[in-house]
């Protein structure tokens, strides 16, 4: 998966969670796969099993870093709300210049996490 695809997946997950909460990671992924051809195509190309692991890590990252409020269990991530920080990330993602800056900074956030990078970027 390239950087642009990862960013697409990342922002799509947050946007769909906003539409659906209260929900779970499984429902968000199911709804995205059913309604978003680009998301579905990325999942199919990367492979469902591999993508499932990456998505699980992403949902845990979003929950642990305060983008989602909810509960992480061994089986599912329950999303009770999307925090104001999540909405700030979504709002910023609507600007093409933001995407360019984030793509350019990929080596920095790839070594850590996109969420940590975005929090630092948006709160400075």
């Amino acid at each position: 998966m390239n950087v642009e695809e990862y960013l697409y997946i990342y922002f799509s997950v947050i946007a769909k969670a906003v539409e659906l909460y209260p929900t779970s990671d499984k429902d968000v992924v199911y709804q995205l796969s059913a309604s978003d051809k680009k998301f579905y195509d990325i999942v199919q190309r990367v492979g469902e099993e591999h993508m499932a692991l990456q998505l699980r890590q992403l949902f845990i990252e979003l929950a642990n870093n305060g983008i989602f409020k909810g509960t992480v269990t061994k089986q599912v991530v329950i999303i009770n709300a999307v925090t104001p920080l999540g909405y700030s990330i979504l709002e910023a993602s609507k600007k093409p210049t933001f995407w360019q800056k984030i793509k350019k900074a990929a080596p920095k956030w790839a070594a850590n996490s996109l969420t940590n990078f975005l929090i630092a970027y948006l709160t400075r």
Side-chain angles (χ1 to χ4, degrees):
M1 179 174 0
N2 65 37
V3 171
E4 192 168 311
E5 289 172 332
Y6 185 79
L7 291 173
Y8 183 83
I9 295 288
Y10 186 92
F11 296 128
S12 294
V13 161
I14 297 172
K16 189 56 77 172
V18 164
E19 288 178 30
L20 298 175
Y21 78 83
T23 190
S24 70
D25 58 341
K26 293 177 188 325
D27 288 337
V28 169
V29 171
Y30 175 78
Q31 292 295 325
L32 277 169
S33 293
S35 65
D36 185 330
K37 182 167 175 25
K38 185 172 181 177
F39 181 91
Y40 177 81
D41 289 344
I42 294 169
V43 170
Q44 294 305 305
R45 191 179 53 70
V46 171
E48 289 182 14
E49 203 169 304
H50 181 69
M51 196 68 189
L53 294 172
Q54 287 188 318
L55 286 167
R56 172 90 176 142
Q57 290 173 332
L58 175 58
F59 278 96
I60 291 170
E61 176 183 322
L62 292 169
N64 287 342
N65 286 290
I67 307 305
F68 296 155
K69 285 189 177 186
T71 306
V72 176
T73 70
K74 289 181 181 180
Q75 307 257 334
V76 67
V77 177
I78 300 164
I79 303 163
N80 295 322
V82 177
T83 67
L85 189 54
Y87 283 97
S88 294
I89 289 171
L90 273 184
E91 191 59 35
S93 75
K94 294 176 184 174
K95 301 172 188 165
T97 55
F98 178 77
W99 279 72
Q100 293 305 319
K101 289 176 186 175
I102 300 306
K103 282 197 297 192
K104 193 174 188 176
K108 292 179 185 175
W109 56 260
N112 189 7
S113 87
L114 178 55
T115 304
N116 288 338
F117 179 84
L118 291 174
I119 290 169
Y121 180 84
L122 292 172
T123 59
R124 62 182 165 122

